[in-house]
Amino acid sequence: MAVSAYIFIEISQGKAKEVTKQIAKIDGVREVHVVTGPYDAIARIEASDINTLGALVVSKIQFTSGVIRTQTNIVVD
């Protein structure tokens, strides 16, 4: 059963559109949007298990140039 999560992303000033375009290309990212509020973007991701999901966040999303920090919220329903 797939695991999904919402990733709240803080991005360097002025780079939100550029960074979200790069994140959208990552396998496992189902959608990503620039938003207002304390975070600059929110992504919905899916992976086959929790370990794969964690690796996706740590080795792909957090390593995208312009990403300052992320907060992962796993869907529990």
Side-chain angles (χ1 to χ4, degrees), residues 1-66:
M1 183 164 135
V3 178
S4 59
Y6 289 94
I7 312 300
F8 294 79
I9 308 164
E10 186 178 343
I11 300 171
S12 298
Q13 186 174 353
K15 296 190 176 208
K17 287 186 179 185
E18 174 187 328
V19 171
T20 55
K21 285 180 184 179
Q22 291 303 311
I23 290 172
K25 296 176 184 176
I26 297 171
D27 285 339
V29 174
R30 298 297 175 237
E31 58 185 312
V32 60
H33 302 279
V34 175
V35 297
T36 61
Y39 294 94
D40 302 300
I42 299 174
R44 185 174 63 85
I45 65 172
E46 287 184 1
S48 58
D49 56 58
I50 194 75
N51 292 328
T52 305
L53 187 135
L56 171 63
V57 173
V58 172
S59 66
K60 300 288 185 176
I61 294 174
Q62 289 180 350
F63 268 83
T64 301
S65 180

